[in-house]
Amino acid sequence: MSELEKAADELRVAHAEGKGAVELALLSRDTLGSAFGAISFIAVFRMAFDVPIDVLQRAQAWERFGWGGAQISDQEFSALLHLGSPTDEFVPGEVLGRDAG
């Protein structure tokens, strides 16, 4: 099992315990350490929750990542990565302005 797969498993467990998008992103950063970056963030959230690539590309602008360019707030980040309850499947947030289907 790769480090990314291990991190994805940790995110799924944390989400099942009630953690939200902000807490999960910080956990992924802590778990991956120096390997954490835009690509690993996208890969881990995609593996863990099957979040669409376009949503993850927008989410990487989160201000706490500090990767430059236009940045989004904690609230925008959470709305974008609306993960719902642990039993729900991913549903894109209202920010996207489109249906989940």
Side-chain angles (χ1 to χ4, degrees):
M1 181 181 291
S2 74
E3 292 302 311
L4 293 177
E5 291 168 324
K6 289 177 187 174
D9 285 346
E10 285 189 39
L11 292 183
R12 282 189 288 271
V13 169
H15 183 246
E17 293 172 349
K19 303 286 188 221
V22 168
E23 295 165 306
L24 295 171
L26 295 174
L27 175 62
S28 70
R29 184 172 64 186
D30 292 343
T31 300
L32 292 170
S34 63
F36 184 77
I39 293 171
S40 60
F41 161 72
I42 289 171
V44 167
F45 268 75
R46 180 93 172 137
M47 281 186 221
F49 308 111
D50 201 31
V51 178
I53 297 291
D54 61 326
V55 173
L56 291 168
Q57 287 173 323
R58 175 69 180 129
Q60 72 180 341
W62 184 36
E63 63 191 3
R64 290 202 202 185
F65 289 150
W67 289 328
Q71 297 185 340
I72 61 174
S73 68
D74 287 0
Q75 290 174 325
E76 291 169 300
F77 183 80
S78 292
L80 191 61
L81 292 177
H82 173 71
L83 300 174
S85 73
T87 57
D88 293 343
E89 291 193 23
F90 174 78
V91 177
E94 295 294 323
V95 174
L96 297 178
R98 66 173 194 201
D99 294 357

